[in-house]
Amino acid sequence: MRFAPRFRPIPFIAALIVAIFGILLGNWQQDRAAYKTELQTQQRERGAAAPIELGPAIAWRDDLAFRRVRLRGEFVAGWPVFLANRPMGSQSGFYLAMPFRIAGSDMHVLVLRGWLPRQAEFGKLPPFVTPAGPLLIEGRVVASSGRVMELGESAPLAPGAQVQNLAPQDLARASGLALQPFLVQQTAPATADDRLQRDWPAPDAGIDKHRGYAFQWYALAALAVLFYVMTGFRRGSGKTD
């Protein structure tokens, strides 16, 4: 007995289509991983650069993300907002967000002041202290506060509200304050008075996830070819005519 190749057009076309799509999608995931690797390198470089001072006229630009900055002005103490479902280690808690008015202007920046633990009593907000008067704070520019899954409906945006997600434009509409379209994570060590923790998590670029997806797509392409080759032989007689 011998096995002889048998060309079957429909399985061949199907295997070819699957293999092509697998390779194309694998290449796309590899490109995403390369892009995010470059982005992560830029973030490290910007984080290591000397801080710049943000004045009222500065506008958002892509190379501002993750830059270390200084802000002079004062917090708008009447507009604290608590971002819920922000754990720190194994403990649940909040990020405290508060507008910061830039000195000599009516322009504000939304500052993530730090993390506070959830209180044992349901619905009770954790205590915190807001320093009064002119301040100089340092932080890192971020495009957003990070999104979490919405668990039910958030409370209307008001001073002291607990919300799942928050964007500067949302707070600008609710408060009437002029706000820059980015946020600043405050990075100066917390004092005993303000009780805030500022151990901000490093941004996850998801590079390993993209590489894993690329491997899966390439494996699918290889399996399609292998399946066609293995099933493309028919059993025949070893005798010759």
Side-chain angles (χ1 to χ4, degrees):
M1 298 293 291
R2 64 183 176 84
F3 290 94
R6 179 178 58 180
F7 179 75
R8 295 178 299 166
I10 294 178
F12 173 78
I13 293 172
L16 182 63
I17 290 174
V18 172
I20 289 174
F21 270 95
I23 292 170
L24 290 176
L25 290 171
N27 289 344
W28 177 69
Q29 291 291 348
Q30 288 282 54
D31 289 343
R32 293 292 297 166
Y35 166 75
K36 290 191 174 182
T37 299
E38 182 180 355
L39 187 63
Q40 204 171 59
T41 301
Q42 290 178 352
Q43 291 172 1
R44 285 196 297 267
E45 292 174 349
R46 292 172 186 174
I52 59 176
E53 187 151 338
L54 288 185
I58 195 163
W60 169 257
R61 58 184 190 272
D62 289 341
D63 63 352
L64 193 61
F66 297 99
R67 284 296 305 268
R68 293 166 55 210
V69 294
R70 291 193 182 102
L71 295 170
R72 297 181 186 273
E74 58 186 325
F75 284 108
V76 182
W79 259 101
V81 178
F82 296 86
L83 277 67
N85 301 315
R86 291 335 199 258
M88 181 76 71
S90 59
Q91 189 174 8
S92 61
F94 305 88
Y95 286 161
L96 173 61
M98 193 174 289
F100 186 89
R101 185 176 65 83
I102 299 176
S105 74
D106 291 325
M107 181 57 68
H108 300 75
V109 174
L110 185 56
V111 175
L112 297 173
R113 292 189 54 196
W115 180 86
L116 291 164
R118 180 180 290 277
Q119 299 295 96
E121 182 180 343
F122 181 77
K124 184 177 180 181
L125 293 172
F128 65 93
V129 174
T130 300
L135 302 167
L136 172 63
I137 65 171
E138 292 191 5
R140 178 174 56 245
V141 173
V142 291
S144 76
S145 59
R147 291 197 64 81
V148 299
M149 183 174 63
E150 297 278 352
L151 303 174
E153 293 187 7
S154 294
L157 197 53
Q162 299 181 41
V163 298
Q164 311 289 334
N165 299 292
L166 178 65
Q169 59 267 28
D170 299 331
L171 187 60
R173 284 192 295 266
S175 65
L177 300 173
L179 277 161
Q180 291 282 9
F182 53 85
L183 300 90
V184 170
Q185 291 177 340
Q186 191 173 351
T187 54
T191 64
D193 292 336
D194 64 20
R195 305 180 184 180
L196 293 157
Q197 296 185 39
R198 299 191 179 108
D199 185 17
W200 299 108
D204 180 14
I207 296 170
D208 291 338
K209 179 183 68 175
H210 287 295
R211 288 172 176 165
Y213 288 156
F215 175 80
Q216 293 176 12
W217 285 118
Y218 289 144
L220 178 64
L223 285 174
V225 174
L226 183 62
F227 179 79
Y228 174 77
V229 170
M230 293 180 65
T231 59
F233 287 81
R234 61 180 174 83
R235 181 177 295 177
S237 171
K239 296 181 181 179
T240 58
D241 295 334

